[in-house]
Amino acid sequence: MHRDNEVSAPASGIRGAFLCGAIIARFAIPAAFLVRRPPLGEPVAIRRYSSALV
């Protein structure tokens, strides 16, 4: 079915990359909806620097 030529190797790599992206998205998108948002009106603390750098 697949011919061993210069096109089949990059094509299978691209196909594999899309498959990996689809698997990651399958879990990441539903997980994003499970993240709790802070109540409205409550300030959100944003840290500018990592604790490892301070």
Side-chain angles (χ1 to χ4, degrees):
M1 183 168 188
H2 291 287
R3 293 171 40 190
D4 291 329
N5 59 21
E6 296 148 1
V7 177
S8 66
S12 64
I14 292 170
R15 193 175 303 118
F18 274 103
L19 179 64
C20 288
I23 292 170
I24 291 170
R26 183 176 180 135
F27 293 104
I29 293 172
F33 288 103
L34 297 177
V35 175
R36 296 180 70 186
R37 295 187 187 126
L40 291 176
E42 190 170 315
V44 178
I46 299 174
R47 296 182 66 183
R48 291 185 180 225
Y49 303 103
S50 171
S51 60
L53 298 175
V54 176

